[in-house]
């Protein structure tokens, strides 16, 4: 959820002042829609009774029967719940934040290009159907997973799915409003708030530790602790390497250091290590 705040700051600060409030509206709206759609149908499509392509076409996801019994006062169900290793709704929440991140990628790509309600309809389809089906192929144990495909923290399932969805949207709606002059030359669109963009990247940097580190899915023993610590360090190193690489490339290509290239370098490094 904190990453959605980072995306909001990054996007709102990158666009013109007149579009900043709409960007904020899109981001809080997409987070709400992602949660509702993933609860209504998305999680079932992705994880429940998955065959080779798709999971259960059923509505609403909730606690397991053992958890319901435990909440209802049946302490005898505690053993079965503990044996599962985690609360099923905790897994739903963790996965829901991933699907919201996928939608946030699309939001950034379509900034100043799409109407609010059209975007919300697109997000509903992405988070309720498209992303869960891709997830069912992989994390859900579908045909890609059966072939040995591995995606530790969502480099393909989250970032690639979001990227392809963003590309499809950009191809349909065309260039950003006001991006080009009548003669085809580029019209500069300076960002409205550079500190907000920088803060957004720092928030994403911190949120990525939960994104990657949380994908260890457990912290109950020495092995988990060692694995997670290495994941966190590698994530930080990747972001730092991305910053320095972008800084050097912008100096050599543009003849000057460029803040936006440097900030994107941090994000690129974290996407790459994911």
């Amino acid at each position: 959820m904190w990453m959605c705040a980072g995306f909001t700051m990054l996007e709102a600060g990158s666009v013109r002042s007149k579009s900043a409030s709409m960007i904020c509206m899109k981001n809080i709206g997409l987070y709400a829609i992602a949660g509702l759609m993933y609860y209504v149908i998305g999680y079932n499509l992705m994880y429940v009774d998955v065959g080779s392509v798709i999971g259960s076409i059923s509505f609403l996801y909730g606690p397991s029967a053992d958890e319901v019994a435990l909440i209802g006062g049946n302490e005898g169900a505690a053993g079965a719940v503990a044996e599962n290793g985690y609360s099923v709704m905790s897994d739903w929440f963790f996965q829901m934040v991933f699907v919201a991140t996928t939608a946030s990628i699309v939001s950034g790509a379509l900034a100043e290009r799409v109407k609010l309600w059209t975007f919300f309809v697109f997000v509903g389809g992405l988070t309720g159907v498209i992303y869960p089906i891709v997830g069912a192929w992989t994390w859900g144990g579908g045909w890609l997973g059966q072939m040995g495909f591995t995606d530790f923290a969502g480099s393909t399932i989250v970032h690639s799915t979001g990227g392809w969805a963003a590309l499809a949207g950009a191809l349909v709606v065309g260039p950003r409003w006001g991006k080009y002059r009548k003669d085809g030359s580029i019209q500069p669109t300076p960002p409205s708030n550079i500190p907000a963009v920088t803060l957004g990247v720092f928030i994403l940097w911190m949120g990525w530790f939960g994104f990657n580190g949380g994908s260890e899915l457990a912290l109950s023993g020495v092995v988990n602790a060692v694995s997670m610590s290495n994941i966190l360090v590698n994530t930080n190193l990747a972001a730092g390497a991305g910053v320095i690489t972008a800084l050097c490339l912008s100096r050599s290509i543009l003849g000057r250091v460029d803040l936006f290239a440097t900030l994107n370098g941090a994000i690129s490094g974290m996407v790459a290590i994911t």
Side-chain angles (χ1 to χ4, degrees), residues 256-273:
R256 56 181 173 81
V257 293
D258 185 84
L259 174 62
F260 275 81
T262 304
L263 295 174
N264 279 312
I267 296 174
S268 298
M270 290 184 287
V271 170
I273 200 63

Side-chain angles (χ1 to χ4, degrees), residues 149-167:
F149 178 88
T150 299
D151 186 344
F152 178 73
S155 59
T156 296
I157 300 168
V158 177
H159 299 294
S160 178
T161 302
W164 286 112
L167 176 61

Side-chain angles (χ1 to χ4, degrees), residues 28-253:
I28 194 168
L30 75 83
Y31 187 81
I33 293 169
L36 292 170
M37 292 301 296
Y38 201 60
Y39 180 78
V40 170
I41 191 171
Y43 191 92
N44 288 336
L45 283 175
M46 186 167 173
Y47 282 113
V48 178
D49 299 328
V50 176
S52 61
V53 177
I54 195 172
S56 173
I57 305 177
S58 57
F59 298 101
L60 304 181
Y61 184 74
S64 67
D66 290 324
E67 290 177 341
V68 172
L70 182 62
I71 294 171
N74 181 4
E75 296 184 2
V81 173
E83 186 177 348
N84 189 47
Y86 59 89
S87 163
V88 296
M89 294 310 292
S90 69
D91 185 61
W92 175 88
F93 186 80
F94 183 68
Q95 297 297 334
M96 183 276 294
V97 178
F98 275 58
V99 74
T101 299
T102 304
S104 293
I105 294 171
V106 181
S107 174
L110 300 184
E112 297 186 307
R113 300 189 191 202
V114 66
K115 293 182 178 179
L116 180 67
W117 290 105
T118 303
F119 174 73
F120 283 166
V121 170
F122 183 83
V123 168
L126 175 65
T127 58
V129 180
I130 298 172
Y131 174 91
I133 291 177
V134 175
W137 296 346
T138 49
W139 286 341
W143 66 277
L144 277 176
Q146 294 166 14
M147 293 175 64
F149 178 88
T150 299
D151 186 344
F152 178 73
S155 59
T156 296
I157 300 168
V158 177
H159 299 294
S160 178
T161 302
W164 286 112
L167 176 61
L171 290 174
V172 170
V173 302
R176 182 178 299 179
W177 297 321
K179 179 68 175 179
Y180 297 98
R181 300 186 180 95
K182 291 182 179 180
D183 61 1
S185 61
I186 296 177
Q187 172 69 44
T189 53
S192 61
N193 194 325
I194 293 176
V197 177
T198 306
L199 178 60
V201 171
F202 272 116
I203 291 174
L204 288 170
W205 194 325
M206 184 174 70
W208 231 285
F209 294 131
F211 201 96
N212 287 356
S215 293
E216 177 66 15
L217 299 180
L219 192 57
S220 57
V222 175
V223 175
N224 298 134
V226 171
S227 296
M228 185 175 290
S229 64
N230 279 280
I231 292 167
L232 298 179
V233 169
N234 288 337
T235 300
N236 198 68
L237 290 174
V243 167
I244 300 304
T245 300
L247 188 66
C248 295
L249 287 175
S250 66
R251 181 68 179 85
S252 61
I253 295 174

